[in-house]
Amino acid sequence: MGDRWHVEVDRSVCIGSGMCVITAPGAFALDAARQSHPAAPECDADEQVLAAAEGCPVEAIALTLADSGEVVFPPED
C-alpha cells in the first residue's frame, strides 16, 4: 500500500490563480470566491498533486503524510 497525503490549502494565502486546478484536475477546485480547496482532505501520493503544490505561485498548498504528519511539501528549512 502506498503513501497517503493530507492536502491543505491556506485560503488566507491563496490568490485563486487556478494553477492547481490545471495541474491536478480533480484534486483541486475553485469555489465561487476563486479560492482553492482540495477535492478531498486525503489522497494517494500523486505526482500531479505534488506538481500543483510546487507550482502554486504563493505556496498556499501543504502536503503531509496522512499517517504521521511528516511534511512532504513545502520542504522544511
Side-chain angles (χ1 to χ4, degrees):
M1 180 176 221
D3 288 335
R4 297 226 5 115
W5 290 343
H6 175 76
V7 183
E8 191 170 325
V9 176
D10 185 339
R11 294 169 60 85
S12 70
V13 175
C14 176
I15 61 171
S17 74
M19 292 304 299
C20 56
V21 176
I22 293 166
T23 306
F28 296 93
L30 296 180
D31 63 17
R34 292 202 45 85
Q35 293 285 293
S36 177
H37 58 89
E42 288 188 8
C43 69
D44 290 332
D46 181 282
E47 288 299 318
Q48 287 183 319
V49 173
L50 179 59
E54 291 173 336
C56 177
V58 293
E59 295 184 355
I61 302 170
L63 307 173
T64 55
L65 292 178
D67 61 349
S68 69
E70 181 181 343
V71 174
V72 175
F73 186 87
E76 294 179 312
D77 295 328

